[in-house]
């Protein structure tokens, strides 16, 4: 509801791409250079770099500064924010009370329509 | 890595907007009509309808068919998929072994550079 892109929206947007999620999966096994990340991906190095830039802007990865090959590493804080946000909806997929609730609503709605 | 938009990407993309997340928050309190959802939102009814369409295409909401006012309701399955996906990264924000690991890498990297 803000004009500037909020952090969570930026994170979710960055994650809404299978290549970027594949990159994070690779980085969960340890640091990797752009070349290492690009290896298995069916795209050019510049395309991979663009994906890395999106991940970096969302705070999902950081790049090393001390070494020339600037390895990428996973940063988990934004992922924790996603987990925290989605956890608020856990009760809707756990337990069966929603289905009962739905059934009762349908019955009630049917009665109102009649 | 597929050409068609995969389900998880579609879900994350739909969630990458504060208005759409606000709509889901409202629906977590129960079904609501488009007019009820639009009430507190600083936008036109067509704009709200467009957001609802994105949520519906991602399977995050369904619209009632039997009643004319077609109430929207939350569908939790895609949110569960997001929770499952992000849970794989939980170890990166829980426990402190990553920071130790990082420290060891820095030391090793420094030795290699010297």
């Amino acid at each position: 509801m803000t004009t500037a892109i909020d952090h969570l929206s930026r994170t979710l947007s960055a994650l809404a791409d299978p290549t970027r999620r594949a990159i994070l999966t690779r980085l969960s096994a340890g640091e990797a250079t752009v070349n290492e990340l690009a290896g298995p991906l069916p795209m050019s190095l510049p395309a991979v770099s663009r994906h890395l830039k999106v991940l970096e802007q969302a705070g999902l990865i950081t790049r090393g500064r001390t070494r020339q090959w600037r390895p990428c590493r996973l940063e988990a804080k934004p992922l924790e924010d996603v987990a925290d946000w989605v956890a608020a909806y856990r009760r809707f997929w756990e337990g069966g009370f929603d289905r009962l609730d739905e059934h009762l609503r349908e019955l009630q709605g049917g009665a109102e329509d009649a």
Side-chain angles (χ1 to χ4, degrees), chain A residues 36-110:
Chain A
E36 286 168 341
L37 291 170
L41 297 173
M43 62 186 69
S44 67
L45 210 56
V48 174
S49 289
R50 281 194 294 275
H51 281 306
L52 292 177
K53 190 159 190 166
V54 174
L55 289 170
E56 195 174 9
Q57 287 173 338
L60 285 158
I61 66 167
T62 49
R63 312 283 303 269
R65 290 170 191 280
T66 52
R67 282 166 277 178
Q68 274 194 320
W69 39 284
R70 303 195 64 211
C72 301
R73 64 179 293 125
L74 181 70
E75 296 295 336
K77 181 66 178 72
L79 295 172
E80 184 179 9
D81 295 340
V82 171
D84 287 346
W85 178 82
V86 82
Y89 294 88
R90 181 169 300 277
R91 66 192 167 100
F92 289 99
W93 69 78
E94 285 181 347
F97 74 86
D98 299 313
R99 258 158 242 144
L100 175 60
D101 185 53
E102 180 178 8
H103 183 60
L104 291 173
R105 279 172 203 267
E106 295 286 339
L107 285 177
Q108 192 176 34

